[in-house]
């Protein structure tokens, strides 16, 4: 999923993201606002993931929901 598509569908995908990563708060999801870099950064912070691991998970999530 390219950057524009995830940003455009973010409101629809927020619930799916919260199901996948239960530690994400509503404030986290609002902050992410469909931006891939912010999404990966929040996953790193909440789950203690490496940058590469968080980016891979975001990519997998995007592919799954494209």
């Amino acid at each position: 999923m390219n950057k524009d598509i995830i940003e455009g569908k973010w409101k629809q995908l927020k619930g799916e993201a919260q199901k996948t990563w239960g530690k994400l708060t509503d404030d986290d999801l609002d902050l992410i606002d469909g931006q891939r870099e912010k999404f990966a950064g929040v996953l790193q912070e909440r789950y203690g993931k490496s940058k590469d691991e968080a980016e891979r998970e975001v990519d997998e999530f995007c592919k799954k929901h494209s």
Side-chain angles (χ1 to χ4, degrees):
M1 179 180 293
N2 75 30
K3 180 182 170 191
D4 295 332
I5 294 172
I6 191 170
E7 288 179 10
K9 291 181 68 175
W10 185 243
K11 288 185 183 193
Q12 298 165 3
L13 294 175
K14 283 168 59 171
E16 292 300 318
Q18 201 160 35
K19 285 180 192 174
T20 303
W21 297 283
K23 291 182 183 179
L24 296 180
T25 65
D26 289 336
D27 288 341
D28 291 334
L29 296 169
D30 290 340
L31 173 71
I32 293 167
D33 196 32
Q35 297 177 42
R36 186 184 174 284
E37 291 86 17
K38 286 185 180 180
F39 198 171
V42 170
L43 289 181
Q44 281 182 268
E45 183 180 323
R46 290 282 178 250
Y47 288 90
K49 298 181 180 292
S50 70
K51 182 178 180 180
D52 289 339
E53 185 179 11
E55 288 177 348
R56 185 176 63 252
E57 288 189 19
V58 169
D59 288 342
E60 289 173 10
F61 177 81
C62 292
K63 286 178 187 175
K64 181 179 177 183
H65 294 94
S66 62

